Amino acid sequence: MDLGLDGRVALVTGASKGIGRGIAAALAAEGARVAISSRSRERIEAAAAEVGARAYVHDSQDVDAAGGLIDAVESDLGPVDVLVTNTGGPPAGPDPLGFTREQWEAAYRSLVLAPMALIERAVPAMRERGFGRVVNVASSAVREPISVLMLSNAHRSALLAAFKTLARDVAGDGVTVNSVLPGRIATDRILEMAGSREAAEAAAREQVPAGRLGTVEEFAAVACFLCSARASYVTGTAVLVDGGLTQSI
């Protein structure tokens, strides 16, 4: 299937490793001109060299720098057609009331304000051109909250609601706004939360109907499709990629 991404300019944030890097690689394989960002210059430049992308240093906590990142990408590569907002998750903890005010504010900044700042800068021009794709990497926790992920549960759900609102407003201008919800994908965060790869794989065999962890490549394929011209009638939705783990309808 030709996804219609050849020559399109795509920006993927939080892409030095894991899911973000996987999505960037999938977009580059489809012929997109890919920009990737991370706060670590060393890691993002290494990832860019391997993926075939252009590297930018950007800290998602610095909301005021969002406009500058979009400007830099557009100056180097051209107008941004595809925006993938991705960032690492906030701290986990067993006590839902055990997080500090600073941790709540930091999670809100990285999971809500940061992606919206990028969207506010990129989407108006997408609407003018009559084409745009916005995809956010969220979590299956927005469907079934995970007990140790209070901050993620609260703030990723907030962005999902914002996306639903925005999607209705921009759909008539050829811009789609969607989220992809990872379940047990084999990333560093999942392995760290489980304690080890072996523990994560054992838990997945027992708990995930598919009987295993998902791969970054499997997740990236879904995200890449939502970025494509073929997905023009899919907007305002959130797609689970979780091997059947989530039981809610």
Side-chain angles (χ1 to χ4, degrees):
M1 181 185 294
D2 180 3
L3 296 183
L5 286 167
D6 190 34
R8 295 287 189 185
V9 175
L11 168 61
V12 185
T13 65
S16 64
K17 61 180 182 177
I19 283 174
R21 180 173 168 176
I23 294 172
L27 291 168
E30 291 294 329
R33 304 173 66 195
V34 181
I36 60 176
S37 71
S38 170
R39 62 188 176 185
S40 168
R41 179 176 299 278
E42 181 180 357
R43 289 200 298 266
I44 199 63
E45 288 181 349
E50 293 178 6
V51 168
R54 192 177 183 107
Y56 297 83
V57 177
H58 174 71
D59 185 349
S60 63
Q61 289 287 327
D62 187 358
V63 175
D64 293 334
L69 174 61
I70 298 293
D71 288 343
V73 173
E74 294 194 333
S75 175
D76 293 335
L77 301 179
V80 173
D81 301 301
V82 174
L83 173 63
V84 180
T85 56
N86 174 60
T87 188
D95 180 5
L97 300 180
F99 299 98
T100 66
R101 178 66 57 83
E102 289 75 18
Q103 286 175 316
W104 274 93
E105 290 176 347
Y108 179 66
R109 192 172 188 84
S110 63
L111 297 183
V112 180
L113 294 182
M116 286 307 303
L118 291 166
I119 290 163
E120 288 165 1
R121 175 62 181 79
V123 164
M126 292 179 180
R127 299 182 77 173
E128 290 178 4
R129 296 192 302 272
F131 180 91
R133 299 288 182 266
V134 178
V135 173
N136 180 59
V137 178
S139 168
S140 63
V142 304
R143 291 284 182 255
E144 291 180 359
I146 299 170
S147 60
V148 298
L149 297 181
M150 178 64 159
L151 299 179
S152 185
N153 296 341
H155 296 299
R156 292 194 191 279
S157 297
L159 189 63
L160 206 67
F163 267 39
K164 177 65 79 170
T165 306
L166 177 63
R168 294 178 61 86
D169 190 58
V170 302
D173 295 319
V175 179
T176 66
V177 182
N178 294 292
S179 296
V180 192
L181 315 180
R184 306 281 183 84
I185 306 298
T187 62
D188 289 347
R189 180 169 169 83
I190 288 292
L191 304 185
E192 288 167 4
M193 289 179 62
S196 68
R197 174 176 288 276
E198 292 74 17
E201 291 175 344
R205 285 193 296 270
E206 180 179 340
Q207 299 167 9
V208 179
R212 61 177 177 84
L213 295 173
T215 69
V216 166
E217 291 76 14
E218 288 170 320
F219 184 88
V222 177
C224 191
F225 175 73
L226 291 176
C227 293
S228 75
R230 295 285 189 177
S232 57
Y233 205 61
V234 182
T235 195
T237 195
V239 181
L240 281 161
V241 184
D242 70 346
L245 179 62
T246 303
Q247 299 185 62
S248 62
I249 296 174

